[in-house]
């Protein structure tokens, strides 16, 4: 039996995870600009956590509705170290799991994991059991490397998200509009199990 159906004014919980590894050095200025543009398109009441990752995963901006804090945090990012892609997916999904509402993760990365403690299989299993949607913006090496694209596409596909790969930053706004449209058209259904 359906107990509630919500399609409007559902709060969004978003984790934006940005790859700041050395392999992203050339792409990082475009990633920073793109991430800020995407976050500016969110609604004022949406809660966002901004994570950075290289060898480690760290919080650039804690969960907040404050757009200015997110922009400031992104502006301070510098590229160095390896890539802990699977670790950031686990951390991001765990953060999202603590809060109600629509849950999504936006991942900017080249997909070239070199530093995670977690395995690909562990990250995939966590993504499969989560109800969060992962959207991927493939940058850097992922634009040309088919094997890296496949890894990133896998996370998007198993969570019902989408993946985008381009060096043409003018196309990113179109991708962001598609993601924002997806997010705004999500709904929540609650139901109760019958007593046996």
């Amino acid at each position: 039996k359906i107990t509630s159906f919500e399609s409007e004014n559902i709060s969004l919980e978003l984790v934006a995870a940005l790859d700041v590894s050395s392999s992203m050095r050339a792409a990082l200025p475009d990633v920073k600009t793109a991430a800020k543009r995407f976050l500016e398109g969110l609604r004022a009441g949406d809660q966002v956590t901004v994570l950075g990752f290289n060898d480690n995963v760290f919080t650039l901006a804690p969960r907040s509705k404050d757009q200015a804090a997110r922009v400031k945090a992104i502006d301070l990012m510098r590229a160095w170290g390896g890539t802990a892609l699977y670790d950031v997916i686990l951390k991001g999904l765990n953060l999202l799991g603590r809060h109600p509402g629509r849950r999504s993760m936006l991942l900017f990365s080249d997909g070239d994991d070199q530093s995670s403690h977690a395995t690909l299989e562990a990250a995939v299993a966590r993504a499969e059991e989560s109800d969060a949607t992962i959207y991927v913006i493939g940058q850097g090496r992922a634009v040309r490397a088919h094997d890296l694209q496949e890894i990133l596409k896998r996370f998007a596909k198993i969570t019902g998200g989408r993946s985008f790969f381009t060096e043409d930053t003018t196309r990113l706004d179109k991708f962001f509009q598609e993601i924002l449209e997806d997010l705004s058209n999500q709904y929540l259904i609650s139901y109760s199990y019958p007593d046996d």
Side-chain angles (χ1 to χ4, degrees):
K1 179 183 177 182
I2 294 175
T3 56
S4 71
F5 178 88
E6 297 176 76
S7 60
E8 295 180 7
N9 301 319
I10 309 168
S11 62
L12 172 64
E13 289 286 341
L14 179 77
V15 168
L18 292 88
D19 186 342
V20 293
S21 62
S22 294
S23 62
M24 288 286 287
R25 183 170 283 116
L28 191 58
D30 289 337
V31 167
K32 289 163 74 168
T33 300
K36 289 187 287 187
R37 281 207 312 262
F38 175 81
L39 294 175
E40 285 167 2
L42 297 174
R43 295 180 311 179
D46 292 336
Q47 295 277 8
V48 179
T49 303
V50 182
L51 300 178
F53 64 102
N54 44 32
D55 297 323
N56 299 297
V57 179
F58 43 92
T59 302
L60 292 167
R63 179 178 181 263
S64 169
K65 298 176 185 177
D66 184 355
Q67 175 66 19
R70 300 173 206 157
V71 168
K72 183 177 178 184
I74 290 170
D75 281 338
L76 293 173
M77 294 188 320
R78 301 289 178 266
W80 58 276
T83 308
L85 174 68
Y86 310 144
D87 287 352
V88 80
I89 289 171
L90 288 173
K91 177 162 185 170
L93 293 176
N94 288 339
L95 287 172
L96 288 169
R98 298 177 188 168
H99 305 288
R102 298 172 296 138
R103 294 184 277 270
S104 292
M105 184 171 187
L106 181 65
L107 180 63
F108 292 85
S109 181
D110 63 5
D112 189 12
D113 192 297
Q114 307 151 348
S115 306
S116 285
H117 298 288
T119 63
L120 171 61
E121 292 74 23
V124 166
R126 181 68 184 91
E128 285 175 332
E129 71 187 22
S130 171
D131 62 358
T133 309
I134 297 176
Y135 293 91
V136 173
I137 305 293
Q139 295 283 279
R141 293 185 210 170
V143 175
R144 293 190 190 89
H146 183 71
D147 57 330
L148 299 180
Q149 284 187 16
E150 288 306 308
I151 291 169
L152 292 169
K153 285 178 180 177
R154 186 175 180 189
F155 285 106
K157 184 176 180 181
I158 62 178
T159 61
R162 299 169 71 184
S163 53
F164 304 91
F165 302 89
T166 184
E167 286 183 318
D168 181 359
T169 54
T170 62
R171 296 183 64 201
L172 288 175
D173 282 335
K174 179 178 182 294
F175 298 156
F176 294 153
Q177 280 306 116
E178 292 180 27
I179 294 170
L180 289 168
E181 183 147 339
D182 277 1
L183 294 174
S184 65
N185 286 305
Q186 292 178 344
Y187 55 86
L188 291 176
I189 294 177
S190 302
Y191 57 91
S192 58
Y193 286 100
D195 294 328
D196 291 333

